[in-house]
Amino acid sequence: MTDAPRPGRLPLVLGYGTNGLGDHPLGTALDLLEDAGYDAVALTLGFPHLDPWAPAADVAAVRDRLARAHGGRGMRVVVETGTRYLLDPRRKHAPALVDEDAGPRLAYLRRAVEVAAALGAPTVQLFSGVLPPGVPADVGRDRLRDRLPGLAAHAADHGVRLALEPEPGMLVETIADALALHADLGGPPALGLTVDIGHCLVVEPGGVAGALATAGPHLHHVQIDDMPATHHEHLPFGQGALDLPAALAALAAVPGYDGVVSVELPRHSWDAPRQVRDAMTALRRAWADRPDPVPVPAP
């Protein structure tokens, strides 16, 4: 005999990433999220939704639209910076922070902070990037140590936090990598972590629960998706190796985390209306089926 699912509202702010809604105008995308019951949106800054260099009036219009959601209760927003070809039409995510000439990336991230402040978004997600061929890891780390303090100071000046996301294949690939860099920089309060739950299956030795426990107080933003354990491929829930009920239980057990948990399906815009609905259904069902969390001490 199995235990009955436990009822109760998720104590998490659920959102959905606009990089999975690339075939819908932003207003329509927000309508879909609102109708499905999401309380937040992870807004990827760039085409097709919000030009980072848009006039202030356009940014204010987005903020007003978010404030009107759910009958005036509003919808929270996190700014993400993973637009693929915004800065270079021929190279995905280029230039990156670890490239020799990162000027356009730095300007974009500074502007992302300013747009986030104007939107009332507390967090801007960013990543290190993939090392260029032939560049030693130490050189890449030196570039990050040179560039991140200024970005963190800019974020602090605007009341915004940066959330560095470890990505499989990038220089900062694991939470341990990100925390080591954070320590090297002297622990700036405006710099924390984004954890993608799916990535934990691929690169984190402690799995989802261990990764979240390690991230601990530095956790500013969470992305959630299914993924194979063998490689980096964002999948809808139920199509990969993720134990979603256990992941939600581990996430709810992180002390003090009150940020957004956003579904991350950047290759499923073609099926967005169904994915938006199905993801919310899966999250609610998984919360009802969650196990009692087992504390995992941080190393």
Side-chain angles (χ1 to χ4, degrees), residues 96 98-99 128-141 143 169-171:
V98 293
D99 285 338
S128 66
V130 177
L131 273 176
V135 174
D138 285 349
V139 172
R141 283 189 285 269
R143 290 171 179 173
M170 292 191 178
L171 177 60

Side-chain angles (χ1 to χ4, degrees), residues 6-56:
R6 289 182 286 166
R9 182 176 175 84
L10 279 77
L12 303 168
V13 181
L14 298 181
Y16 198 100
T18 61
N19 60 1
L21 290 149
D23 296 320
H24 289 78
L26 181 57
T28 306
L30 294 175
D31 289 344
L32 290 174
L33 300 188
E34 187 176 358
D35 291 347
Y38 290 91
D39 289 318
V41 59
L43 175 59
T44 296
L45 196 60
F47 49 76
H49 292 129
L50 181 60
D51 183 342
W53 292 278

Side-chain angles (χ1 to χ4, degrees), residues 151-241:
L151 285 174
H154 188 62
D157 288 344
H158 285 79
V160 172
R161 301 177 301 187
L162 301 178
L164 182 64
E165 180 183 357
E167 285 266 359
M170 292 191 178
L171 177 60
V172 176
E173 184 175 55
T174 67
I175 291 168
D177 294 337
L179 291 179
L181 177 61
H182 188 264
D184 284 348
L185 297 176
L191 178 63
L193 294 178
T194 294
V195 171
D196 186 306
I197 297 294
H199 295 173
C200 297
L201 303 177
V202 182
V203 297
E204 295 294 343
V208 173
L212 291 170
T214 301
H218 303 291
L219 188 62
H220 290 346
H221 178 43
V222 173
Q223 299 166 347
I224 192 163
D225 44 77
D226 212 335
M227 195 167 288
T230 54
H231 61 282
H232 184 195
E233 181 184 2
H234 292 248
L235 296 172
F237 299 123
Q239 295 186 20

Side-chain angles (χ1 to χ4, degrees), residues 104-139:
R105 175 66 54 179
L106 290 165
Y108 170 57
L109 292 173
R110 289 174 65 87
R111 180 59 182 158
V113 164
E114 294 159 9
V115 171
L119 289 173
T123 303
V124 172
Q125 168 267 2
L126 73 164
F127 46 79
S128 66
V130 177
L131 273 176
V135 174
D138 285 349
V139 172

Side-chain angles (χ1 to χ4, degrees), residues 254-273:
V254 177
Y257 183 68
D258 59 358
V260 171
V261 180
S262 61
V263 177
E264 178 84 352
L265 291 175
R267 298 183 181 179
H268 287 76
S269 290
W270 63 273
D271 195 29

